[in-house]
């Protein structure tokens, strides 16, 4: 039976009723109860330096052999992101461990109100018919259910042991097309207004609403092949159009055009 490690502040309502829960924190891995655990799915961020101490604790106290770690394609950014180094070091520590590991690197994850990206985009487009477009780089977000399916499939497939896989949505979209697709999901006709990158950087610095690093990421392509995942464990993600339409309905934002005209 699965055991969920949660922080004391975690929202347990998202877990299945009756799920076994153990409270703890990765800041103190030596206190984690893992002596009766044989398989690990690590879905916390790998960018905060927790991995080496956790691996040491597992090797000393747990029978865990099989493990799937969820990393991110953000390790490939060309920007000087503070989290890139710790994430790369975490992956290296996993690869050097004695575990039968698999690393999955999703692109931006969406699909619920908790994604903090596409859900906000949908809410904005539902309210406003004009959207500022800063750059037109390629985006390839992955639906959360496709990522969950990938975790289970990779865990069950021995070929994935000691391999890392990039996971993304079905196709890479220019950001303008992604915004138009999201607007269609909430039944909006949207006017895209180009904004120069430098102007967006100045606005970010003056307002503090977003970090300049986030603005620069808008101009960086975030498209990745998932051919190896498709070959080794049958990864077949949905299109963004299908996924964002599902999220819009989930969030109650789909609406209809007649309601918008009234």
């Amino acid at each position: 039976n699965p055991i969920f490690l949660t922080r004391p502040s975690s929202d347990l309502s998202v877990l299945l009723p009756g799920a076994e829960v153990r409270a703890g924190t990765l800041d103190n891995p030596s206190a984690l109860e893992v002596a009766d655990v044989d398989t690990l799915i690590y879905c916390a961020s790998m960018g905060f330096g927790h991995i080496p101490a956790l691996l040491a604790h597992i090797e000393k106290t747990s029978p865990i052999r099989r493990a799937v770690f969820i990393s991110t394609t953000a390790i490939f950014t060309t920007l000087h992101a503070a989290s890139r180094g710790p994430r790369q070091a975490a992956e290296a520590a996993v690869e050097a461990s004695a575990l039968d590991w698999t690393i999955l690197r999703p692109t931006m994850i969406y699909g619920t109100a908790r994604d903090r990206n596409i859900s906000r985009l949908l809410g904005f487009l539902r309210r406003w018919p004009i959207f500022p477009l800063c750059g037109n780089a390629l985006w390839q977000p992955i639906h959360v259910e496709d990522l969950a399916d990938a975790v289970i499939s990779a865990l069950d497939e021995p070929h994935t042991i000691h391999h890392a896989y990039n996971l993304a949505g079905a196709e890479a979209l220019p950001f303008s097309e992604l915004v138009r697709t999201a607007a269609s999901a909430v039944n909006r006709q949207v006017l895209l207004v180009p904004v120069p990158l430098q102007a967006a950087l100045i606005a970010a610095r003056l307002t503090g609403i977003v970090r300049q690093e986030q603005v620069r990421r808008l101009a960086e392509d975030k498209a990745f092949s998932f051919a190896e995942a498709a070959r080794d464990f049958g990864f077949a993600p949905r299109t963004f159009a299908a996924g964002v339409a599902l999220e819009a309905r989930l969030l109650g934002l789909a609406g209809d055009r007649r309601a918008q005209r009234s």
Side-chain angles (χ1 to χ4, degrees):
N1 293 327
I3 300 170
F4 295 89
L5 172 66
T6 65
R7 295 185 298 269
S9 59
S10 294
D11 177 9
L12 303 185
S13 67
V14 300
L15 301 180
L16 295 174
E20 183 176 349
V21 175
R22 295 180 185 176
T25 171
L26 291 173
D27 291 329
N28 185 21
S30 62
L32 301 179
E33 300 177 20
V34 292
D36 58 342
V37 178
D38 58 17
T39 302
L40 171 69
I41 298 176
Y42 185 94
C43 54
S45 172
M46 294 178 69
F48 292 101
H50 296 128
I51 293 295
L54 175 64
L55 292 174
H57 177 59
I58 287 173
E59 291 176 357
K60 289 180 181 178
T61 65
S62 172
I64 292 175
R65 289 291 302 171
R66 187 70 174 101
V68 173
F69 291 83
I70 300 178
S71 183
T72 171
T73 54
I75 66 167
F76 299 116
T77 181
T78 59
L79 303 176
H80 297 292
S83 62
R84 183 179 60 179
R87 285 169 170 161
Q88 291 174 332
E91 287 200 10
V94 169
E95 292 170 0
S97 73
L99 296 174
D100 291 335
W101 56 266
T102 301
I103 295 174
L104 302 180
R105 303 188 190 109
T107 55
M108 185 177 70
I109 304 167
Y110 74 102
T112 74
R114 301 164 68 90
D115 69 47
R116 298 187 301 175
N117 291 293
I118 299 302
S119 64
R120 292 178 179 177
L121 174 63
L122 290 170
F124 182 93
L125 293 170
R126 181 66 175 161
R127 292 189 300 272
W128 303 101
I130 298 176
F131 187 86
L133 189 71
C134 180
N136 201 26
L138 294 174
W139 289 48
Q140 200 171 354
I142 180 173
H143 195 275
V144 64
E145 293 181 3
D146 293 334
L147 174 56
D149 288 343
V151 170
I152 300 303
S153 297
L155 187 65
D156 290 341
E157 178 49 68
H159 290 349
T160 68
I161 293 174
H162 296 164
H163 286 84
Y165 299 92
N166 297 332
L167 302 179
E171 74 282 286
L173 299 173
F175 188 49
S176 57
E177 184 62 24
L178 181 142
V179 173
R180 290 191 180 96
T181 303
S184 178
V186 295
N187 290 322
R188 270 290 188 192
Q189 293 288 334
V190 63
L191 174 64
L192 302 179
V193 179
V195 176
L197 177 61
Q198 193 59 38
L201 289 170
I202 293 172
R205 184 174 70 248
L206 293 177
T207 65
I209 296 175
V210 296
R211 299 192 307 273
Q212 288 186 308
E213 178 186 319
Q214 291 175 298
V215 175
R216 289 191 175 95
R217 281 281 287 162
L218 293 175
E220 184 178 50
D221 282 342
K222 294 170 282 293
F224 296 88
S225 171
F226 54 83
E228 293 181 351
R231 178 197 66 204
D232 287 359
F233 56 93
F235 179 65
R238 71 198 71 194
T239 64
F240 180 70
V244 77
L246 180 63
E247 181 168 351
R249 292 194 297 272
L250 177 68
L251 299 177
L253 296 175
D256 60 54
R257 298 187 189 279
R258 289 174 299 175
Q260 288 185 37
R261 288 195 296 265
S262 62

